[in-house]
Amino acid sequence: TTSAFPSQKPKSELVRTSLRLLTSSAYRLQSECKKTLPVESCPGTDIQLVTQQVIQCAYDIAKAAKQLVTITTKENNN
C-alpha cells in the first residue's frame, strides 16, 4: 500500500478502510494458500474449508480494489 500512496497517508477514511481490507485480505489469502502446500498442511486439513476461505479472501481483495478505483476515479473527476 505504501507504493500506491508513497508520499502521504491517505486523507480519506474510505481509502484507508479499503487499503486495510486489501492488505489484511492479501495476508489472509497468503496464509490460506500456504495451508495447501504439502510442507504446511496437516493430515486433518479440510481442503474444502481452505478453498472457501481462499474464495472469500479473493472476493474481499476484489471488493477493496473496486472501492479504491471508485474513490480515486471520483477524486480525479473533481
Side-chain angles (χ1 to χ4, degrees):
T1 58
T2 56
S3 62
F5 300 94
S7 62
Q8 62 186 0
K9 183 177 180 178
K11 295 175 186 162
S12 166
E13 183 60 34
L14 283 173
V15 170
R16 287 194 299 271
T17 300
S18 296
L19 288 172
R20 279 193 296 271
L21 177 61
L22 187 62
T23 303
S24 65
S25 297
Y27 283 121
R28 279 184 48 226
L29 179 62
Q30 181 181 28
S31 174
E32 293 298 332
C33 287
K34 280 184 179 180
K35 293 177 186 177
T36 65
L37 298 175
V39 176
E40 298 282 333
S41 74
C42 302
T45 300
D46 183 349
I47 295 300
Q48 189 172 18
L49 178 61
V50 172
T51 301
Q52 289 172 351
Q53 292 298 320
V54 167
I55 291 168
Q56 183 61 52
C57 293
Y59 172 81
D60 289 341
I61 289 169
K63 179 180 171 183
K66 182 180 178 187
Q67 288 172 349
L68 287 171
V69 167
T70 301
I71 293 164
T72 54
T73 301
K74 284 181 183 177
E75 288 178 355
N76 289 339
N77 288 336
N78 289 336

